[in-house]
């Protein structure tokens, strides 16, 4: 069972930056995996933000490209949690941000739209004010 815990949320002014972290416990036990960030704003559906896989391949949602950066994630690097660096924040970025992960098969592309993630954190709120 993979357990995820987000931190780093809070209030920030428009144009500012914020860094989120996701601590991972219980690990992937040497399996192939994908891990990343999603968000959900009030009254809206869940939105994919950024994903990184065990090969280091990264993908981003169109609305955050060029503004957000997902870190590498190495399963056995306990001192380096998964992070999401957010820059040039806008009011539209206000949402609850979730860390999510899943194991993947060797030939599975977990960056594909609609890929379901198995493990989820509780979320951390980011509020951007003008």
């Amino acid at each position: 069972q993979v357990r995820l815990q987000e931190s780093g949320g809070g209030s920030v002014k428009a144009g500012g930056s914020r860094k989120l972290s996701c601590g991972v416990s219980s690990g992937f036990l040497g399996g192939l995996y994908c891990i990343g960030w999603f968000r959900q704003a009030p009254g809206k559906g869940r939105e994919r933000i950024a994903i990184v896989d065990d090969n280091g391949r990264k993908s981003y949602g169109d609305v955050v490209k060029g503004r957000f950066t997902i870190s590498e994630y190495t399963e056995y690097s306990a001192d380096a949690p998964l992070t999401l660096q957010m820059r040039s924040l806008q009011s539209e970025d206000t949402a609850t941000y979730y860390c999510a992960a899943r194991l993947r098969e060797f030939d599975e592309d977990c960056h594909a739209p609609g890929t379901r993630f198995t493990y989820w954190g509780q979320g951390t709120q980011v509020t951007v004010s003008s």
Side-chain angles (χ1 to χ4, degrees):
Q1 180 79 12
V2 176
R3 285 185 285 272
L4 308 171
Q5 180 64 59
E6 305 91 342
S7 62
S11 297
V12 61
K13 289 197 177 294
S17 299
R18 196 86 183 181
K19 188 173 186 177
L20 305 181
S21 293
C22 176
V24 183
S25 62
S26 302
F28 300 104
L29 303 179
L32 305 180
Y33 58 86
C34 289
I35 188 168
W37 295 92
F38 293 73
R39 72 184 182 189
Q40 188 164 18
K44 295 188 177 181
R46 189 169 287 172
E47 182 178 30
R48 174 187 294 223
I49 298 301
I51 304 295
V52 61
D53 65 25
D54 50 272
N55 289 318
R57 179 189 169 199
K58 301 177 182 179
S59 61
Y60 294 91
D62 288 341
V63 293
V64 303
K65 278 181 182 176
R67 299 190 299 124
F68 290 13
T69 303
I70 191 170
S71 67
E72 301 279 344
Y73 178 72
T74 303
E75 180 182 1
Y76 298 109
S77 180
D79 295 330
L82 182 75
T83 64
L84 182 70
Q85 178 67 58
M86 305 184 292
R87 296 182 174 87
S88 301
L89 285 162
Q90 306 160 6
S91 58
E92 294 77 19
D93 296 314
T94 294
T96 300
Y97 284 71
Y98 297 91
C99 181
R102 61 166 288 153
L103 295 173
R104 70 175 185 92
E105 299 298 324
F106 177 76
D107 58 351
E108 183 178 12
D109 178 11
C110 54
H111 298 270
T115 299
R116 299 175 74 90
F117 280 65
T118 311
Y119 306 104
W120 292 84
Q122 294 298 309
T124 186
Q125 177 68 34
V126 174
T127 302
V128 184
S129 59
S130 57

